[in-house]
Amino acid sequence: MKVTVVGAGAVGASCAEYIAIKDFASEVVLLDIKEGYAEGKAMDLMQTASLNGFDTKITGSTSDYYKTANSDIAVITSGIPRKPGMTREELIGINAGIVKTVSKSLLEHSPNAILIVVSNPMDTMTYLVHKTTNLPKHKIIGMGGALDSARFKYRLAEAIGAPISDVDGMVIGGHSDKGMVPLISHAARNSVKVSEFLSNDRMQQVVEDTKVGGATLTKLLGTSAWYAPGAAVSGLVQSIACDQKKIFPCSTYLEGEYGLNNLCIGVPVVLGKNGIEKIVDIELSDAEKAKMKESAEGVSKTNGLLDL
Ligand SMILES: NC(=O)c1ccc[n+]([C@@H]2O[C@H](COP(=O)([O-])OP(=O)(O)OC[C@H]3O[C@@H](n4cnc5c(N)ncnc54)[C@H](O)[C@@H]3O)[C@@H](O)[C@H]2O)c1
Ligand SMILES: O=C(O)C[C@H](O)C(=O)O
């Protein structure tokens, strides 16, 4: 199993590290445009192999896509991150050009690869890949909901005073400060609805903290987060590589599902060896349906800024 990660920056390197530590891929290629940067990150990570006990071979490449040839899965993290005070949508100008070129180069050398899009604004970048490549839609996956759901679980556990492993929750919708839809109606502590443990006001606070999870970290760090994003990507990659068929909320092209059309947005999907093997239709409350519609309008508006 060969995995390429384009962009050896904060998220790309974190993602490569988690993939290696989980030790399911034979090879990870990191590629970046900065001269020597990916090679340096790869060498540094390889020097953790004996310490962390993995056999995955990590190599680096400066813009040489021949080294990525015949990848089974490719992750696109290349592009600029936001700074405090910015929205993800403001990154569209620079990142659209990068994502378009990178996806084309990847597919020239790995025509059978499954692509995972991470660069922001992620739902619009996923849509861009859908519109500008010939890849079937089940092979184009946007990562956002897996991360947002991890943040939702973190906030739920904090509010309830429960261990995170006891808490389950999912965030669908657009990966944006306003567009995320944390699914309160499905959130549970070991099968008991979270409403048994939290007041409406506390629940609303959890929802708001989840939605601005990325912005909160960006303010603290001066740039956006990387550990949880890298771990979230590695979970998607593992489910595909090992054909685990796990459910994650991912951005995917919708054709009528959830009443939505002609956009990529986060919905629950089954991830297996073919990429997105099924879009899972779950029951939403009326309030969640209305929020999903509003979120889709936001994503479509950003998509309208693309030069297609
Ligand atoms: N979808 C998500 O949940 C999520 C989470 C975190 C970050 N992100 C996004 O991921 C992107 C990367 O974030 P980061 O913190 O790793 O940034 P970073 O600046 O640390 O790394 C980005 C890397 O991309 C490289 N790059 C730029 N253009 C390239 C090109 N054409 N080809 C190859 N490499 C190129 C840069 O040299 C840099 O090393 C940002 O757009 C950020 O907003 C998304
Ligand atoms: O917040 C960001 O800009 C990066 C990423 O989308 C995140 O949620 O951490």
Side-chain angles (χ1 to χ4, degrees):
M1 176 62 55
K2 179 170 175 177
V3 182
T4 286
V5 180
V6 181
V11 177
S14 163
C15 165
E17 182 177 15
Y18 284 116
I19 292 171
I21 286 174
K22 293 178 182 177
D23 211 12
F24 60 83
S26 49
E27 191 179 353
V28 174
V29 180
L30 266 174
L31 182 144
D32 204 285
I33 40 165
K34 255 189 263 174
E35 189 66 42
Y37 195 58
E39 289 85 340
K41 290 269 182 123
M43 191 186 289
D44 194 8
L45 282 170
M46 278 307 284
Q47 290 169 4
T48 71
S50 61
L51 300 164
N52 284 329
F54 64 78
D55 291 318
T56 303
K57 183 180 164 208
I58 310 169
T59 55
S61 161
T62 304
S63 302
D64 181 1
Y65 280 86
Y66 283 103
K67 295 193 175 142
T68 70
N70 300 319
S71 292
D72 301 287
I73 303 170
V75 181
I76 303 176
T77 75
S78 45
I80 52 165
R82 62 174 159 166
K83 294 253 178 284
M86 288 174 76
T87 64
R88 297 176 180 88
E89 289 76 7
E90 286 175 67
L91 305 172
I92 190 173
I94 295 181
N95 286 356
I98 294 174
V99 169
K100 193 171 167 185
T101 319
V102 165
S103 51
K104 188 167 175 279
S105 305
L106 278 170
L107 292 171
E108 271 167 18
H109 295 84
S110 303
N112 298 318
I114 291 169
L115 298 191
I116 299 179
V117 182
V118 181
S119 312
N120 273 316
M122 181 279 294
D123 299 289
T124 295
M125 294 301 107
T126 308
Y127 181 75
L128 175 68
V129 172
H130 177 78
K131 287 287 174 194
T132 57
T133 67
N134 290 323
L135 261 193
K137 64 175 196 163
H138 65 275
K139 289 187 153 191
I140 305 172
I141 303 163
M143 194 296 290
L147 170 64
D148 302 331
S149 301
R151 289 179 176 153
F152 186 34
K153 287 178 233 183
Y154 164 79
R155 290 297 183 186
L156 281 170
E158 177 188 55
I160 297 171
I164 294 186
S165 57
D166 217 25
V167 166
D168 195 19
M170 189 190 286
V171 178
I172 63 170
H175 179 62
S176 67
D177 297 346
K178 291 192 179 140
M180 285 175 211
V181 185
L183 296 179
I184 303 171
S185 66
H186 290 268
R189 176 182 182 181
N190 198 2
S191 304
V192 183
K193 279 181 184 292
V194 289
S195 52
E196 297 288 330
F197 305 99
L198 297 175
S199 66
N200 274 345
D201 282 357
R202 190 66 184 93
M203 197 63 228
Q204 271 321 306
Q205 190 59 50
V206 165
V207 166
E208 289 315 313
D209 288 346
T210 301
K211 289 169 74 174
V212 296
T216 302
L217 284 162
T218 302
K219 196 170 164 204
L220 290 167
L221 297 165
T223 184
S224 55
W226 57 88
Y227 293 120
V233 177
S234 76
L236 269 51
V237 172
Q238 186 174 22
S239 191
I240 298 166
C242 304
D243 196 26
Q244 289 175 322
K245 303 198 191 297
K246 286 193 178 180
I247 291 182
F248 290 95
C250 292
S251 192
T252 183
Y253 187 74
L254 296 185
E255 293 170 294
E257 299 90 346
Y258 288 86
L260 301 172
N261 277 292
N262 191 31
L263 83 168
C264 293
I265 194 165
V267 292
V269 302
V270 174
L271 287 186
K273 64 179 186 309
N274 301 308
I276 293 179
E277 302 202 338
K278 185 179 168 41
I279 294 175
V280 183
D281 193 15
I282 55 170
E283 180 86 28
L284 303 183
S285 68
D286 287 345
E288 288 162 351
K289 277 184 201 156
K291 285 188 185 130
M292 193 62 179
K293 187 164 174 274
E294 200 182 311
S295 179
E297 283 162 9
V299 172
S300 295
K301 197 168 159 208
T302 310
N303 291 349
L305 302 173
L306 288 171
D307 186 14
L308 289 171

